[in-house]
Amino acid sequence: MIRRRPRGPRLPAWTATLTWKAAVFITVMCCALAALLGMLVHVSVTNQTVGQARERALDRLTEVTERYEAGDRLGSGAGVDPEGLPAPLRELALSGERGTMVAAHESRPTMWAAGPADGGRAIAVQVDYAQGARTIDGLDRAILGSSVLAIGATLLVGAFAVTRVTRRLHQTAQVARRISAGDLDARVNDPRTKDPARRQDEVAAVAGALDTMASSLQGKLLSEQRFTADVAHELRTPLTGLHAAAELLEPGRPTELVRDRVAALRTLTEDLLEISRLDAKSERVDLDAHQLAPLAERVVRGSGEGTELVVVRDVCVETDRRRLERVLGNLVANALKHGRAPVVVTVDGPVVTVRDHGDGYPGYLVEHGPQRFRTEGTSKGHGLGLTIALGQAAVLGARLTFSNAPDGGAVATLRLPFDECPSEDEADGSESTT
């Protein structure tokens, strides 16, 4: 049995940005460096301060010991077994060793020095250590303050430098998205790539490579579009002659086959010409106010049997009637040809769905959209109907998506741009079936 470890809370989206990661990295490194340097300075100054106080205390202990042995007065801050002498230092002195220790005496930091005396006693002196303690505390505060200032300044400078880089990366990413959306004229135009003698950083190299790729891709696509348009245009004249000649043939099975193939070639040629116009973005819409349900009903009636219309909510939309009927007609024709009946066209406000009850769309189509001259299995056709529907929907400003229903069947969803029409006559909540 495989147990999945529960995931922790998801971080906000902004934490994934390069600026945030760089800021965290700079902050961590500055804190680590400041802590290391501060610790070294603290240890060095503390050792020096404590060493000086220890030397003074030991010198004083030597002087007091000589006075004690001579029977003279010991003076202030010195005595035998004085009150407040730290127990570890007393034990060290009783063992015959001399030593020093910093401890609090009467709420003041004091440097003690102790040594052995006769009678199993300890002689000790105390030196005021308050000035040394204040020096170390002041040094620690100075280190902390300077570290905070240094980290803040470094973080600001680093964030400024990183932001300049990320801004250029964002611009490059935006241009890449525009190119992927079909805007082949988009370019980064980084000024660093214009001067060959100027050294380029990695971001400029990426921007230059993207511009070069976009130019190359645009040239190839334009060449392909021109070739497709030229071929389709040149085929129209001989196909027109073939069609006229086929009409003169005597009735019979061979004649029907010839006429059928000529008609298929004419349809393919017209589709290629339409796609070339869509690629060239030369199509212009003729907008007018139309009720959506009657348009869908006209398409359903023209498609023949096996198609149903369901109107959940009718709306008035500003659209090009001819292009919209072309889109819906292609979707219904594809559903009838490659799916199984019944094909249901549903109008729900500005959203029209076309669903069949077949095997559904192939995976590549759902993920990447329709592709020209690609069909699955032994399906007849050239894959141009859905391509034209997608292109005409884009001309209308609509969004056409493809998916598969959970219980089987292909679903095409067309979402039209919608504003309330002055003459709109809705029947909210009503439902009719044709």
Side-chain angles (χ1 to χ4, degrees), residues 35-108:
L36 178 61
L37 293 178
M39 183 175 63
L40 293 176
V41 173
H42 172 83
V43 170
S44 176
V45 173
T46 300
N47 289 338
Q48 183 179 2
T49 304
V50 172
Q52 292 174 353
R54 181 179 289 112
E55 289 179 0
R56 291 199 306 270
L58 291 175
D59 291 342
R60 177 85 187 281
L61 178 63
T62 301
E63 179 184 350
V64 169
T65 301
E66 292 176 352
R67 289 183 180 181
Y68 176 74
E69 292 175 350
D72 296 336
R73 186 172 177 273
L74 299 182
S76 62
V80 177
D81 288 337
E83 183 181 357
L85 179 64
L89 188 59
R90 182 188 300 274
E91 294 178 1
L92 181 65
L94 294 179
S95 65
E97 300 290 336
R98 290 169 39 130
T100 60
M101 183 176 180
V102 177
H105 180 63
E106 297 180 355
S107 302
R108 292 177 61 84

Side-chain angles (χ1 to χ4, degrees), residues 26 49 79 281 406-407 419 430:
I26 292 173
T49 304
K281 301 185 184 301
D407 54 346
D419 287 322
S430 63

Side-chain angles (χ1 to χ4, degrees), residues 383-408:
L384 300 181
L386 294 182
T387 302
I388 292 174
L390 189 64
Q392 292 291 6
V395 173
L396 293 174
R399 183 167 178 258
L400 179 59
T401 57
F402 303 93
S403 61
N404 292 321
D407 54 346

Side-chain angles (χ1 to χ4, degrees), residues 229-279:
D230 292 343
V231 170
H233 187 270
E234 292 298 328
L235 285 176
R236 295 184 72 178
T237 301
L239 285 176
T240 302
L242 282 175
H243 179 73
E247 294 297 327
L248 299 177
L249 295 177
E250 296 181 358
R253 180 59 180 169
T255 301
E256 293 178 0
L257 293 175
V258 171
R259 291 175 180 174
D260 178 69
R261 293 300 89 196
V262 170
L265 282 174
R266 293 189 66 184
T267 301
L268 175 59
T269 302
E270 294 299 329
D271 287 347
L272 289 175
L273 284 173
E274 186 172 357
I275 287 177
S276 66
R277 290 193 298 268
L278 291 172
D279 288 340

Side-chain angles (χ1 to χ4, degrees), residues 116-258:
D118 57 355
R121 295 180 298 174
I123 185 171
V125 297
Q126 51 181 312
V127 176
D128 186 18
Y129 188 66
Q131 181 62 36
R134 285 194 296 269
T135 300
I136 295 176
D137 291 341
L139 175 66
D140 291 341
R141 288 192 295 269
I143 291 175
L144 180 60
S146 60
S147 298
V148 172
L149 290 177
I151 291 172
T154 305
L155 185 59
L156 289 177
V157 174
F160 174 74
V162 173
T163 301
R164 292 190 63 186
V165 176
T166 55
R167 187 183 300 115
R168 294 166 59 195
L169 289 175
H170 281 306
Q171 181 184 1
T172 304
Q174 290 175 358
V175 171
R177 283 191 287 268
R178 288 171 56 190
I179 293 173
S180 65
D183 185 7
L184 299 181
D185 294 324
R187 298 291 186 274
V188 180
N189 290 326
D190 193 322
R192 297 167 182 79
T193 63
K194 303 301 180 181
D195 186 5
R198 184 175 182 179
R199 293 185 178 274
Q200 299 181 5
D201 56 13
E202 289 78 0
V203 180
V206 171
L210 180 63
D211 287 349
T212 302
M213 181 198 70
S215 299
S216 176
L217 179 62
Q218 184 179 32
K220 292 179 179 179
L221 289 178
L222 291 176
S223 176
E224 178 186 345
Q225 292 171 8
R226 285 193 298 268
F227 175 76
T228 303
D230 292 343
V231 170
H233 187 270
E234 292 298 328
L235 285 176
R236 295 184 72 178
T237 301
L239 285 176
T240 302
L242 282 175
H243 179 73
E247 294 297 327
L248 299 177
L249 295 177
E250 296 181 358
R253 180 59 180 169
T255 301
E256 293 178 0
L257 293 175
V258 171

Side-chain angles (χ1 to χ4, degrees), residues 337-349:
K337 186 173 184 179
H338 301 288
R340 285 192 295 271
V343 174
V344 182
V345 180
T346 304
V347 177
D348 187 1

Side-chain angles (χ1 to χ4, degrees), residues 232-362:
H233 187 270
E234 292 298 328
L235 285 176
R236 295 184 72 178
T237 301
L239 285 176
T240 302
L242 282 175
H243 179 73
E247 294 297 327
L248 299 177
L249 295 177
E250 296 181 358
R253 180 59 180 169
T255 301
E256 293 178 0
L257 293 175
V258 171
R259 291 175 180 174
D260 178 69
R261 293 300 89 196
V262 170
L265 282 174
R266 293 189 66 184
T267 301
L268 175 59
T269 302
E270 294 299 329
D271 287 347
L272 289 175
L273 284 173
E274 186 172 357
I275 287 177
S276 66
R277 290 193 298 268
L278 291 172
D279 288 340
K281 301 185 184 301
S282 60
E283 299 281 36
R284 296 293 180 268
V285 293
D286 183 14
L287 297 178
D288 200 359
H290 297 281
Q291 291 295 131
L292 191 54
L295 289 178
E297 182 180 0
R298 190 157 42 245
V299 173
V300 170
R301 288 180 177 175
S303 63
E305 298 182 355
T307 308
E308 301 176 1
L309 172 65
V310 176
V311 180
V312 178
R313 181 169 64 96
D314 188 17
V315 293
C316 176
V317 294
E318 290 281 343
T319 189
D320 188 324
R321 180 183 61 82
R322 180 182 66 83
R323 297 185 189 279
L324 180 56
E325 290 182 351
R326 173 71 159 154
V327 173
L328 296 179
N330 281 15
L331 294 178
V332 171
N334 182 81
L336 291 172
K337 186 173 184 179
H338 301 288
R340 285 192 295 271
V343 174
V344 182
V345 180
T346 304
V347 177
D348 187 1
V351 180
V352 183
T353 58
V354 179
R355 177 188 175 180
D356 62 49
H357 290 77
D359 298 329
Y361 291 121

